[in-house]
């Protein structure tokens, strides 16, 4: 299932490492995640999420503000997996962050007695996979540069989830089974719309969905829904929400342009897509 990120031979598990027949070894950290990063000259590593972003993410997701997305995503994922005829279904979360969605799905499935599923989370941030591995023992988390290549065997994955994260369709097409599905969540232009009155936030492009569809070929969109919620948030909750977003990397965009009211209705608007081969 796992392949060596250096030579693509199969990896086998030892006590504290994964190792390929060519003796490339990868450490299993004490928290349980696997470090599959390869240092290559001239290849820059993707920038992983900052510690503060991850903690804000855990706080916001833990408070249930994205429960509307979680329930729609899990329903879609369960339906996709129900069509997988293999005895073991493998679910990959690419850009898993601190593992909230994958970990919660795994726990719910285990509680429902579905034990024929394996859950792998990939992220480029060490802090993210460290937090994920500590919080979600039902899944395996990997530190890897998935934008370059995904160290997973060809045609071995049942479903890939990519939630607010970059997509590598070339690798998705290689690792997915012929019946596999890709589930994607992207913000719509309405996401955070009220907050734009108070903050100079990054714009969400109108044509994002169209560009995604074009880059996904030969995969095609089978389902597409917009799911939304409008919680009333405190200034502190708004700060956490922005801290887990790409705006966090732009200091000026995090500064309020005018005083925030005690309670701010905030639209959370996400497009959820399911893609598979025609
Ligand atoms: Zn190797």
């Amino acid at each position: 299932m796992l392949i060596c990120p250096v030579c693509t031979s199969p990896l086998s598990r030892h006590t504290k490492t994964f190792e390929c027949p060519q003796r490339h070894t990868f450490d299993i950290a004490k928290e349980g995640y696997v470090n599959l990063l390869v240092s290559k000259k001239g290849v820059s590593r993707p920038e992983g999420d900052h510690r503060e972003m991850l903690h804000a993410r855990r706080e916001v997701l833990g408070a249930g503000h994205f429960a509307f997305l979680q329930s729609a995503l899990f329903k879609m994922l369960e339906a996709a997996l129900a069509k997988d005829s293999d005895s073991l279904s493998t679910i990959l979360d690419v850009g898993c962050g601190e593992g909230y969605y994958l970990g919660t799905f795994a726990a719910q499935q285990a509680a429902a007695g579905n034990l024929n599923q394996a859950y792998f989370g990939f992220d480029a941030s060490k802090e993210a996979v460290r937090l994920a591995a500590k919080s979600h023992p039902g899944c395996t988390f990997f530190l890897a540069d998935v934008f370059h290549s995904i160290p997973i065997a060809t045609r071995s994955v049942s479903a890939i989830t990519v939630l607010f994260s970059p997509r590598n369709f070339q690798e998705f097409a290689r690792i997915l089974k012929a019946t596999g599905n890709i589930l994607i969540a992207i913000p719509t232009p309405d996401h955070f719309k009220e907050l734009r009155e108070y903050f100079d936030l990054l714009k969400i492009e109108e044509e994002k969905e169209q560009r995604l569809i074009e880059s996904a070929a030969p995969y095609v969109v089978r389902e597409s829904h917009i799911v939304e919620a409008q919680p009333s948030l405190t200034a502190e909750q708004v700060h956490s929400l922005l801290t887990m977003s790409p705006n966090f990397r732009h200091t000026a965009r995090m500064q309020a342009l005018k005083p925030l009211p005690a309670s701010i209705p905030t639209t959370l608007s996400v497009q959820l897509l399911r893609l598979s081969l025609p």
Side-chain angles (χ1 to χ4, degrees):
M1 164 62 54
L2 283 173
I3 58 172
C4 174
V6 179
C7 69
T8 74
S9 307
L11 284 177
S12 45
R13 191 182 179 135
H14 298 256
T15 321
K16 287 180 175 174
T17 57
F18 275 84
E19 200 173 306
C20 80
Q22 325 287 333
R23 294 290 173 89
H24 298 124
T25 60
F26 303 92
D27 293 338
I28 302 171
K30 67 175 193 301
E31 294 89 351
Y33 70 86
V34 186
N35 186 346
L36 295 177
L37 274 183
V38 180
S39 44
K40 278 187 201 146
K41 273 186 188 154
V43 177
S44 63
R45 281 180 187 173
E47 192 182 356
D49 280 348
H50 192 276
R51 186 188 176 92
E52 216 173 321
M53 294 176 87
L54 293 160
H55 285 270
R57 209 178 116 116
R58 188 152 78 164
E59 189 187 310
V60 170
L61 297 179
H65 295 312
F66 281 84
F68 70 99
L69 171 61
Q70 178 183 310
S71 58
L73 172 74
F74 288 6
K75 216 167 124 187
M76 204 185 246
L77 188 52
E78 274 182 350
L81 292 171
K83 291 181 194 141
D84 189 4
S85 52
D86 288 355
S87 56
L88 180 76
S89 295
T90 301
I91 298 113
L92 224 69
D93 190 8
V94 175
C96 63
E98 52 13 283
Y100 180 82
Y101 292 104
L102 186 70
T104 307
F105 185 74
Q108 285 188 6
Q109 293 294 306
N114 292 339
L115 302 173
N116 57 342
Q117 294 176 356
Y119 309 95
F120 292 167
F122 284 82
D123 205 280
S125 155
K126 186 183 274 190
E127 183 64 16
V129 291
R130 203 180 64 80
L131 267 176
K134 277 164 71 176
S135 311
H136 306 289
C139 312
T140 314
F141 293 95
F142 302 90
L143 180 61
D145 175 5
V146 291
F147 213 69
H148 182 66
S149 67
I150 303 177
I152 289 279
T154 300
R155 301 249 175 279
S156 62
V157 173
S158 316
I160 297 173
T161 58
V162 205
L163 313 171
F164 306 99
S165 288
R167 299 159 290 270
N168 182 346
F169 284 114
Q170 201 179 337
E171 279 291 86
F172 294 173
R174 180 184 65 79
I175 64 176
L176 273 175
K177 297 175 188 173
T179 54
N181 287 271
I182 307 169
L183 276 60
I184 296 172
I186 53 173
T188 79
D190 282 345
H191 198 53
F192 295 173
K193 68 179 174 195
E194 298 85 356
L195 299 183
R196 294 177 192 280
E197 194 186 319
Y198 302 97
F199 298 90
D200 177 28
L201 299 180
L202 291 166
K203 285 205 169 53
I204 296 165
E205 303 150 73
E206 296 274 359
E207 73 279 17
K208 201 168 187 172
E209 186 193 0
Q210 198 48 45
R211 278 198 294 124
L212 184 154
I213 292 168
E214 283 162 15
S215 60
Y219 284 83
V220 294
V221 175
R222 296 309 189 95
E223 280 180 81
S224 173
H225 313 286
I226 290 178
V227 289
E228 292 187 329
Q230 199 190 38
S232 283
L233 303 179
T234 62
E236 200 180 332
Q237 288 170 326
V238 165
H239 182 78
S240 297
L241 192 64
L242 296 182
T243 301
M244 67 184 261
S245 81
N247 292 287
F248 180 68
R249 299 194 191 281
H250 307 266
T251 315
R253 298 187 193 276
M254 294 290 293
Q255 310 297 327
L257 304 170
K258 59 183 183 183
L260 295 169
S263 167
I264 310 138
T266 305
T267 297
L268 306 174
S269 177
V270 181
Q271 183 152 21
L272 191 56
L273 303 118
R274 181 175 68 82
L275 291 81
S276 70
L277 291 174

